[in-house]
Amino acid sequence: MSSINKTKRKRLFEEKNTGQSTSCDASDEDNTDCSVPKEEPLSKRQKHEAPKLPEGIEALYGFKINKPPQDRPVRIYCDGIYDLFHFGHAKALEQAKKAFPNVYLLVGVCSDFETHKRKGKTVMTDDERYEAVRHCKWVDEVVPDAPWIVDQTFLDMHKIDYVAHDAEPYQSKEHGDVYAFVKDQGRFLPTERTEGISTSDLITRIVRDYDAYLRRNLERGVSAKELNISFLKERKIKTKKSIEDLRKTIKAALNDTLALWEDKRHEFIRGFNGVFNGEDVVDKLLNYRNRKRVTSDSAESSRTNSRIHSEDEHSEGDLSTIS
């Protein structure tokens, strides 16, 4: 899907969630005309704002979306693993929560057993992930041990109106796109991913700087056994740290010595000026050089004049001989 469509979709959701256009220049931070008005309490908004889909959303995504119910809160379901719960997760849940004026947001979190079998090991346990999601302010209810693929029984059990997720197909070995079922029913509500942040990205950062994090934890008193590293690995890390500390110490000592020498040099120059009146010495040196240059110029001029005078006399002698 093109980046232009993604930008349009993102703007569409921002306008829907904030209730106003996002075309205001971001540089006008102090312009009160561009500020976002404070959100009214939900009970007041319900009195004058009926739930409706963002205009053009079906054409933008290319699939049908059912109209929301008008007489009760809209029940929206999000699901995921939510390992190392981060602001990208929170922003996706915020989009679902703000999709309509009155939303009851259910969030399903997959168990360790299902996740490890299908996607791989997680950093956090399922209980930790349940609690992380439960403490997000956009979430009304956490559904633990959520199914990997939503079926009709699950939708009916929880009275779900929409399943919210980003629109890119989420592949499964058994069923292809796991959200194809709800898309066919018109119950899929697309959200936008937050670029630049993901659980995989966070894990990649940790793996990339593995030794640095090992060293940090060793310095904080975590044992090699707890870090699952060998004795030799522990000694290697500590030796490397000792060498780096020694380098820093030597560098600091050299900088201190150079600074001391610089101070001594300044003191010597100030003492020289005080004893020998350095400014007069410089002036005398310049005057001497100027006098020498003037004398040299005068001698050169005299030699030139003498040579010209001799040439004139020689010319006059030649003329008299001819006469």
Side-chain angles (χ1 to χ4, degrees), residues 82-98:
Y82 301 108
D83 194 21
L84 298 178
F85 189 86
H86 51 74
F87 73 88
H89 293 138
K91 287 174 73 68
L93 299 179
E94 180 185 8
Q95 291 177 52
K97 181 68 175 177
K98 292 182 176 181

Side-chain angles (χ1 to χ4, degrees), residues 220-235:
R220 294 183 177 184
V222 182
S223 68
K225 183 177 180 181
E226 291 174 301
L227 293 171
N228 195 29
I229 60 174
S230 66
F231 172 78
L232 293 177
K233 180 68 174 179
E234 179 187 13
R235 298 314 306 168

Side-chain angles (χ1 to χ4, degrees), residues 294-309:
V294 170
T295 303
S296 176
D297 293 343
S298 299
E300 181 67 24
S301 178
S302 299
R303 286 194 297 271
T304 302
N305 291 334
S306 298
R307 185 172 60 256
I308 294 173
H309 182 67

Side-chain angles (χ1 to χ4, degrees), residues 217-249:
N217 282 6
L218 287 171
E219 290 172 357
R220 294 183 177 184
V222 182
S223 68
K225 183 177 180 181
E226 291 174 301
L227 293 171
N228 195 29
I229 60 174
S230 66
F231 172 78
L232 293 177
K233 180 68 174 179
E234 179 187 13
R235 298 314 306 168
K236 178 182 178 182
I237 293 172
K238 289 185 176 181
T239 301
K240 185 177 180 180
K241 175 66 166 56
S242 300
I243 293 173
E244 289 181 1
D245 290 343
L246 180 61
R247 285 175 178 171
K248 291 179 182 179
T249 302

Side-chain angles (χ1 to χ4, degrees), residues 81-178:
I81 300 169
Y82 301 108
D83 194 21
L84 298 178
F85 189 86
H86 51 74
F87 73 88
H89 293 138
K91 287 174 73 68
L93 299 179
E94 180 185 8
Q95 291 177 52
K97 181 68 175 177
K98 292 182 176 181
F100 305 104
N102 188 9
V103 169
Y104 186 83
L105 183 61
L106 302 93
V107 181
V109 183
C110 299
S111 67
D112 284 349
F113 176 78
E114 196 71 27
T115 304
H116 295 174
K117 180 176 66 174
R118 294 176 177 272
K119 198 167 183 179
K121 185 174 177 57
T122 57
V123 177
M124 301 168 67
T125 66
D126 45 14
D127 289 333
E128 291 170 338
R129 292 183 284 112
Y130 300 155
E131 283 303 306
V133 174
R134 185 173 286 114
H135 283 78
C136 178
K137 71 176 184 177
W138 310 114
V139 178
D140 296 304
E141 180 182 340
V142 172
V143 181
D145 195 12
W148 195 263
I149 301 173
V150 175
D151 57 17
Q152 189 63 49
T153 301
F154 185 83
L155 294 177
D156 295 340
M157 180 188 304
H158 294 280
K159 299 180 174 64
I160 295 171
D161 297 305
Y162 298 105
V163 175
H165 199 272
D166 65 90
E168 299 299 324
Y170 196 90
Q171 299 297 326
S172 170
K173 293 180 180 178
E174 299 93 337
H175 298 83
D177 184 5
V178 299

